[in-house]
Structure formats: structure tokens, C-alpha cells
Amino acid sequence: MSPWLTVVGIGEDGWAGISRDARRALLAADAVYGGERHLALLPPRIRARRVAWPKPFSIEPVLRERGRTVCVLASGDPMLFGVGATLARHLTVRDLRVLPAPSSISLAAARLQWALQDVVNVSLVGRPLASLNAQLHRGARLIVLSSDGATPAAIAALLTARGFGASRISVFEHLGGADERRIDARADDWTHPSVAALNLVAIECRGEHAGLSLTPGLPDDAYRHDGQLTKRDVRAITLARLAPAPRELLWDVGAGCGSIGIEWMRAHPSCRAIAIEANHGRQRLIEHNRDALGVPGLQLVEGEAPAALDGLPAPDAIFIGGGVTVPGVLDACWSRLREGGRLIANAVTIQSEAVLFAWREQHGGELTRIGVAQAEPLGAFDTWRQALPITLLHARKP
């Protein structure tokens, strides 16, 4: 039995650029869904009912068409930041067929003669501009799907503010169509406040610095904080014990300025984190830091554990950086942790250390003492200045 739904990729060249199979699917359809711009590209001989996407966007009207022959129009490759991927999460391969066209990213790479496997793709469609911050490294090549005509100017301003003003920007309007246009400039010389709404931005990063490291343990001055910060060396050890993996979720309980959750999410684009923090001022610090360090998707929960944990999705790992002495926090976290998940808790006071010792007697786990010293001047000489020692509890849930 043939799939009832076909997703057809279409470019700026419209009907002339789609495949024979795509044309047959559209001619046979009872209904065609798509954006108004895509629907306008179809010739009059397509007799199907034409339905523009609802606002706000939803695929529910399409899913209710089951039993009819339906097509959906999508830009370029529907499986690349497209509606095809959204529909595939709700339908089986027996229901859905996808007929792609060249994506705008592929077309831009061809124009620039960039190897696609060496390019980082970023979509700012429905996503914050701050998502770009995590990708800024000297020598990196980025292709960015714009949200609107003002996106290139916003990108140029961000690059300049982050020390990457020398980066080369190429903006492509209406790629693959009769109105295709290319604009090239340095980020710090960008003079176009707005371009065509349908555009894509290619960036060759050139900067005053290499960009922030991809490994855990960013410099402490990368964060805005009020002193409640897991320091760099301890943070690197803590992240190593948390061991982030793709698609995993972290709870950062007593998040402070958000450093652990932020570096967890920087480990892989699909890593997710929830920062739980009761202090209003620190919540604002977390909001600043997550944007500045390129992970605006970090979820912030305002409240104090254990009450603030109610209703949150079960995590794969939990870090407790503050509040281990609050009755019920450790047990509540342990009970919510997935099987095989990791719980890490750091203690600096005698009282919090005693709580970790007592909890370990009941549940097991490893205890590690971390001591870090920095060389500092003492008169005409140098001496070691010892930081407060940290006791780290590491337990894996059976």
C-alpha cells in the first residue's frame, strides 16, 4: 500500500525544478499543504485543495487527513531543519514518503565551493540568535538559515561584538530562483539593515581569538557570577564524572550561575539541561550566561529543591552544587534519577560533607576529595595558595 502522505521538497525555481515523481504526487493529491509562498509556486493544473499552514504552526490539520491522498510542500530538503522531520516523528514509513530537492545549504555550499562535511549548519528559524555563540571558532565555516531579513545584520553585529568582526559574510537571497542575489562583506563592515526575507548567511570565521574551548572547564571569567561558581578545575572534574552523552538530560540543582548545566549542553548539541535555582539574582545570571555561551535552550526553573523538582522530566544525570543539607534533597533527586543515571554532589562545608558520608552509607557510591592550589606571590617569592577542598560524591543508580 502506498503512503497516504508525500512531502515534496521545492526550491525557488518552483514547478520546473521538482522531479517527475514529485509532479505525479501533486497531480494525484486531494489536498496540498504548505506555506503561502510555496503554494503560489504551483501551476493552475494542480486541482487539489490548497491549504496554508495555520498560525501558530501545527501539523495537526495534516494528521487529520489520514485516509486521503495528501502532499506537503517544504523548502528544499524537508529532512533538514524541515517539516519532513517533524512529520516523521508522528508517522511510520508506511504512512510517509519524502521527495527532497536540493537544500539551500547545499546550494550555498556549491556557490562557495565549500565541502559540506566541513560546514556547521545552524538554523535561526524560531531559535534565538544566541545559539550562534557556541559555534564561533577561528577558521570555522558556518551556514546559517535566517529567521527574516534582519537576521544578517544581527549576525554581523554579534560577530563584531564577540571579536569576530573580520569574518567574511556571504548572504544569499532567493537561492536557486530567478531573483537570486549574493552580498559579500566583512562582519564589521556590514551596511545592510535588512535584506530579502528569504535568505541564508554563510560565515567564514576570522577572529581576534580562537573562541572558547570545547572541553569542560571554561575560564571562570567566561561567566558572570556573584561568587557562587563551581571553579574551573573542579568544574572540569565534575563534568567528567557527570559524563554527558548525546540526547541526555541533566538536572543542575542549586545551579548558582549555571556553569555546570551550560557546559553539559556545550558537550553536544542534543544535550539538554534544567537549572533549578531559587535566588532571583542568580536566575538572571543564568539567563545571561546561557546566551553568552551559546546554549539559550537551557531551561530555568525558579524554586528550591526538593519542591521545585515536581513535574520535571526524569534526568539521566543530576548535579547538586548547593543545598545538600536541605532535608530530602538527596533522596528526592535519587528517586527521580533514571536507572543507570549518575548523581554527583559537591560539598565544601563539614556539615554538607557529613550528609554525603551518611547518604553513601545507605546508598553506596564513591567519595573523592579534590584539592587545588594556585601559585601566588609572597613577598619576593611565590607560594601555593590552597583553595577550599571539595568532597565529591559520585553514585550510579542500579
Side-chain angles (χ1 to χ4, degrees):
M1 184 177 177
S2 299
W4 63 271
L5 178 60
T6 300
V7 182
V8 174
I10 191 168
E12 281 292 289
D13 50 359
W15 180 260
I18 65 175
S19 68
R20 182 177 299 175
D21 285 345
R23 293 184 181 189
R24 287 173 177 167
L26 289 163
L27 288 166
D30 298 317
V32 179
Y33 283 75
E36 293 178 359
R37 179 176 63 86
H38 289 145
L39 293 172
L41 295 173
L42 297 180
R45 69 172 179 268
I46 301 298
R47 301 297 185 186
R49 174 169 43 95
R50 304 186 188 197
V51 186
W53 289 118
K55 297 178 181 179
F57 175 81
S58 172
I59 62 169
E60 288 302 318
V62 172
L63 298 180
R64 289 196 293 267
E65 296 273 8
R66 183 186 291 271
R68 301 184 180 90
T69 303
V70 179
C71 282
V72 166
L73 293 176
S75 294
D77 186 344
M79 303 306 291
L80 182 65
F81 299 115
V83 70
T86 304
L87 289 165
R89 289 194 288 269
H90 296 266
L91 299 169
T92 70
V93 293
R94 293 189 298 273
D95 298 313
L96 178 65
R97 178 174 61 153
V98 180
L99 302 175
S103 70
S104 58
I105 289 175
S106 292
L107 292 174
R111 305 290 191 270
L112 293 161
Q113 298 184 11
W114 287 1
L116 266 176
Q117 68 270 18
D118 298 330
V119 173
V120 176
N121 301 324
V122 180
S123 175
L124 295 182
V125 180
R127 297 173 176 86
L129 178 67
S131 305
L132 202 57
N133 284 327
Q135 309 300 334
L136 301 183
H137 302 280
R138 186 188 296 141
R141 286 177 167 176
L142 315 177
I143 294 182
V144 183
L145 301 179
S146 291
S147 176
D148 55 32
T151 299
I155 289 174
L158 181 144
L159 290 169
T160 303
R162 302 286 294 187
F164 286 88
S167 298
R168 300 297 303 178
I169 292 180
S170 296
V171 173
F172 293 92
E173 299 175 331
H174 299 290
L175 259 171
D179 296 327
E180 180 175 323
R181 182 172 75 131
R182 174 175 172 173
I183 308 169
D184 296 296
R186 279 175 50 127
D188 53 10
D189 286 336
W190 189 258
T191 58
H192 304 270
S194 185
V195 299
L198 185 65
N199 73 84
L200 173 151
V201 184
I203 307 166
E204 189 160 17
C205 292
R206 301 175 185 174
E208 301 166 5
H209 51 82
L212 289 172
S213 170
L214 297 176
T215 58
L218 295 178
D220 292 345
D221 61 9
Y223 294 94
R224 187 177 291 179
H225 62 91
D226 63 357
Q228 292 298 312
L229 169 71
T230 303
K231 298 300 189 292
R232 180 179 193 171
D233 297 298
V234 175
R235 195 182 332 124
I237 295 170
T238 300
L239 265 296
R241 295 298 187 97
L242 285 167
R247 292 175 294 281
E248 286 194 327
L249 172 65
L250 170 76
W251 285 1
D252 185 358
V253 180
C257 71
S259 62
I260 295 294
I262 287 168
E263 295 196 29
W264 168 279
M265 290 185 66
R266 283 175 59 88
H268 191 273
S270 68
C271 284
R272 298 165 293 135
I274 301 174
I276 298 99
E277 177 54 56
N279 183 282
H280 180 77
R282 291 173 190 157
Q283 293 160 11
R284 305 291 78 78
L285 293 173
I286 292 170
E287 290 173 343
H288 168 83
N289 290 329
R290 69 184 179 186
D291 286 355
L293 295 170
V295 288
L298 173 70
Q299 181 181 345
L300 177 59
V301 172
E302 300 184 10
E304 188 170 349
L309 307 179
D310 292 342
L312 298 182
D316 302 285
I318 298 175
F319 173 65
I320 307 175
V324 295
T325 58
V326 175
V329 167
L330 272 167
D331 288 337
C333 289
W334 187 247
S335 67
R336 309 290 180 85
L337 188 64
R338 292 184 185 275
E339 291 184 5
R342 293 87 65 198
L343 184 147
I344 308 295
N346 288 356
V348 68
T349 67
I350 293 172
Q351 289 78 12
S352 57
E353 188 177 79
V355 171
L356 297 188
F357 272 102
W359 191 90
R360 176 175 173 267
E361 287 297 311
Q362 184 178 357
H363 298 282
E366 302 175 9
L367 285 170
T368 302
R369 173 63 67 87
I370 304 170
V372 178
Q374 301 289 340
E376 295 185 2
L378 181 65
F381 299 93
D382 293 318
T383 189
W384 292 109
R385 186 74 65 187
Q386 189 77 34
L388 291 173
I390 302 292
T391 299
L392 181 149
L393 169 70
H394 177 193
R396 182 178 291 272
K397 192 170 184 178

